[in-house]
């Protein structure tokens, strides 16, 4: 009996086989267990020899089972270790590091500078109603600005007779949304993508603006000028010449466009020298109609607003003369300017 089970244990090649042997020998109806049960029917003399012999057999089989189990587990571990062996001396495969797109970098920088001036960040949707994008901003339906802005209109579902939604042409609708939501006083900036059907060296159909809005009881054009000059100095790291040009926007009165001095030449643009100017923002004092449209009393509050092109600022900061390159996703170009590894 002993030889039979010891060799069965030695032959067992996995845990299930071991368990089978255990049940056959030591299970409730196992051969050894049955023999132990027969002890009761034996004479005391017979029992005295058979009892210890059976117990010894049981113990021996038990240890053999455990030993075999351990041996199998060790072998399996060996096998795995051999299979998962790594040669740590092999040269590593390079994984190109990701990096933040220059437009996002500039957007974050601009946001940080305005945050230090006490402005918090507001956001609005890119698909906008024509009320927020135009009417509330004092641009009525017949106004030429609607055509000038080269608006992308969204198609409505068949039978939906509401006026078409638009891809926002500027971040100014966020002015209205913020005034409605939080009332005066306000100090916010709003960075985000905007859309116009326009394409040349300094225009892409999708680009980025940062809107600024400050509403309070004693705000004047002088505050606007000071804030913008603080901003330009911080952003370019040096004092740069700016030019405030009288302009017109339906939602500000008076209005000014601001240009930054730069030099364009042979594939580069340099800020702060030369006699070229790049327009980077529109601005002005918020028109009373706009305040009224958003539920703020223009007799009590005034404010300034501006909207600047983030992409234009990035062109100037990094000396890139063609705006379109920012959106080509050309890795070689990004690497050339140090924007990607
Ligand atoms: N929304 C204007 C534009 O996109 C810029 C602007 C913003 C002008 C705020 C005045 C005040 O051109």
């Amino acid at each position: 009996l002993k030889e039979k089970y010891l060799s069965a244990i030695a032959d067992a090649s996995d845990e299930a086989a071991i368990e089978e042997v255990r049940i056959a020998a030591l299970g409730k109806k196992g051969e050894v267990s049955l023999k132990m049960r027969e002890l009761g029917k034996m004479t005391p003399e017979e029992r005295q020899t058979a009892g210890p012999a059976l117990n010894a057999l049981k113990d021996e089989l038990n240890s053999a089972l455990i030993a075999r189990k351990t041996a199998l587990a060790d072998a399996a571990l060996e096998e795995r270790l051999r299979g998962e062996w790594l040669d740590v001396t092999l040269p590593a495969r390079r994984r190109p590091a990701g990096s933040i797109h220059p437009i996002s970098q500039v957007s974050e920088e601009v946001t940080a500078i305005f945050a230090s001036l006490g402005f918090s960040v507001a956001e609005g949707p890119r698909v906008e109603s024509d009320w927020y994008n135009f009417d509330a901003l004092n641009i009525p339906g017949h106004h030429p600005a609607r055509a000038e802005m080269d608006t992308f209109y969204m198609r409505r579902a068949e039978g939906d007779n509401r006026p078409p939604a638009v891809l926002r042409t500027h971040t100014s609708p966020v002015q209205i949304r913020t005034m409605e939501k939080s009332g005066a006083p306000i100090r916010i900036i709003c960075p985000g993508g905007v859309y116009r059907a326009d394409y040349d060296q300094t225009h892409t159909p999708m680009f980025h603006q940062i809107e600024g809005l400050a509403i309070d009881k004693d705000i004047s054009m002088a505050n606007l000028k000071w804030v913008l000059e603080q901003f330009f100095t911080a952003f370019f790291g040096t004092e740069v010449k700016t030019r405030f040009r009288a302009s017109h926007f339906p939602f500000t009165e008076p209005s000014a466009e601001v240009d930054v001095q730069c030099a364009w030449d042979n594939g580069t643009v340099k800020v702060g020298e030369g006699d070229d100017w790049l327009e980077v923002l529109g601005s002005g004092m918020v028109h009373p109609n706009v305040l009224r449209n958003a539920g703020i009393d223009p007799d009590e509050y005034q404010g300034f607003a501006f909207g600047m092109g983030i992409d234009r600022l990035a062109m100037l900061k990094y000396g890139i003369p063609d705006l379109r390159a920012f959106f080509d996703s050309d890795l070689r170009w990004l690497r050339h300017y140090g924007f990607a590894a």
Side-chain angles (χ1 to χ4, degrees):
L1 204 60
K2 177 170 146 184
E3 297 311 320
K4 173 176 156 193
Y5 283 113
L6 282 181
S7 83
I9 291 169
D11 287 346
S13 58
D14 57 28
E15 239 183 86
I18 296 177
E19 182 61 8
E20 249 170 59
V21 179
R22 192 190 65 79
I23 291 169
L26 307 172
K28 248 195 214 149
K29 289 180 184 152
E31 219 172 340
V32 179
S33 311
L34 289 178
K35 284 242 180 305
M36 293 189 86
R37 230 165 286 156
E38 283 165 18
L39 283 174
K41 296 180 214 147
M42 291 179 184
T43 63
E45 292 78 37
E46 283 172 325
R47 205 182 299 145
Q48 214 151 50
T49 46
L54 277 175
N55 266 323
L57 174 61
K58 190 180 146 197
D59 288 347
E60 192 172 346
L61 290 182
N62 252 329
S63 344
L65 283 165
I66 290 168
R68 182 70 186 142
K69 228 188 230 179
T70 322
L72 280 176
D74 285 352
L77 183 62
E78 273 297 303
E79 180 71 23
R80 249 186 73 194
L81 285 177
R82 223 172 307 132
E84 292 175 7
W85 184 78
L86 269 184
D87 184 353
V88 294
T89 66
L90 280 175
R93 223 170 296 160
R94 269 180 71 86
R95 271 207 252 165
S99 52
I100 309 222
H101 192 275
I103 298 295
S104 305
Q105 275 180 43
V106 167
S107 174
E108 282 171 23
E109 265 174 66
V110 174
T111 304
I113 295 170
F114 280 105
S116 75
L117 291 167
F119 288 75
S120 53
V121 173
E123 279 184 318
R126 295 192 186 205
V127 175
E128 193 52 284
S129 71
D130 65 344
W131 165 258
Y132 281 111
N133 196 79
F134 295 121
D135 302 78
L137 288 160
N138 204 31
I139 314 174
H142 53 80
H143 198 283
R146 290 207 185 202
E148 269 163 35
M149 281 204 175
D150 301 307
T151 313
F152 287 112
Y153 289 91
M154 312 282 289
R155 204 193 294 280
R156 288 260 186 226
E158 193 110 24
D160 185 338
N161 292 322
R162 290 174 298 167
V166 302
L167 290 179
R168 68 178 178 194
T169 57
H170 49 181
T171 41
S172 300
V174 186
Q175 287 187 35
I176 308 292
R177 290 181 175 275
T178 308
M179 289 189 250
E180 283 179 346
K181 209 167 77 189
S182 60
I186 294 173
R187 265 178 197 69
I188 53 118
I189 56 162
C190 160
V194 301
Y195 302 83
R196 289 181 206 177
D198 207 351
Y199 188 71
D200 62 32
Q201 201 178 341
T202 53
H203 296 88
T204 51
M206 187 275 315
F207 61 106
H208 301 86
Q209 288 189 331
I210 287 201
E211 192 79 8
L213 177 67
I215 306 273
D216 215 324
K217 294 201 163 156
D218 298 297
I219 296 223
S220 74
M221 203 79 180
N223 300 128
L224 168 68
K225 191 154 186 276
W226 183 86
V227 164
L228 290 178
E229 281 167 358
Q230 294 295 305
F231 165 72
F232 285 124
T233 309
F235 181 74
F236 290 112
T238 152
E239 232 159 280
V240 295
K241 275 211 189 116
T242 51
R243 187 168 75 172
F244 283 71
R245 262 183 304 109
S247 180
H248 172 79
F249 299 101
F251 35 94
T252 47
E253 182 59 37
S255 306
E257 282 176 303
V258 179
D259 306 331
V260 171
Q261 182 200 12
C262 60
W264 292 81
D265 98 302
N266 260 337
T268 61
V269 50
K270 281 212 183 91
V271 71
E273 54 185 76
D275 44 29
D276 297 307
W277 297 89
L278 183 65
E279 181 198 325
V280 293
L281 67 85
S283 63
M285 297 300 292
V286 180
H287 195 289
N289 287 350
V290 173
L291 293 172
R292 254 189 296 265
N293 285 339
I296 291 179
D297 180 359
D299 293 326
E300 199 179 351
Y301 288 101
Q302 321 83 49
F304 66 71
F306 59 83
M308 59 175 115
I310 301 180
D311 324 71
R312 299 278 180 94
L313 290 174
M315 291 173 77
L316 289 172
K317 180 144 187 166
Y318 297 112
I320 289 156
D322 194 324
L323 181 60
R324 294 170 292 197
F326 279 119
F327 307 111
D328 284 344
S329 301
D330 184 341
L331 261 182
R332 292 163 308 173
W333 180 87
L334 287 163
R335 287 199 188 104
H336 174 76
Y337 282 98
F339 298 139

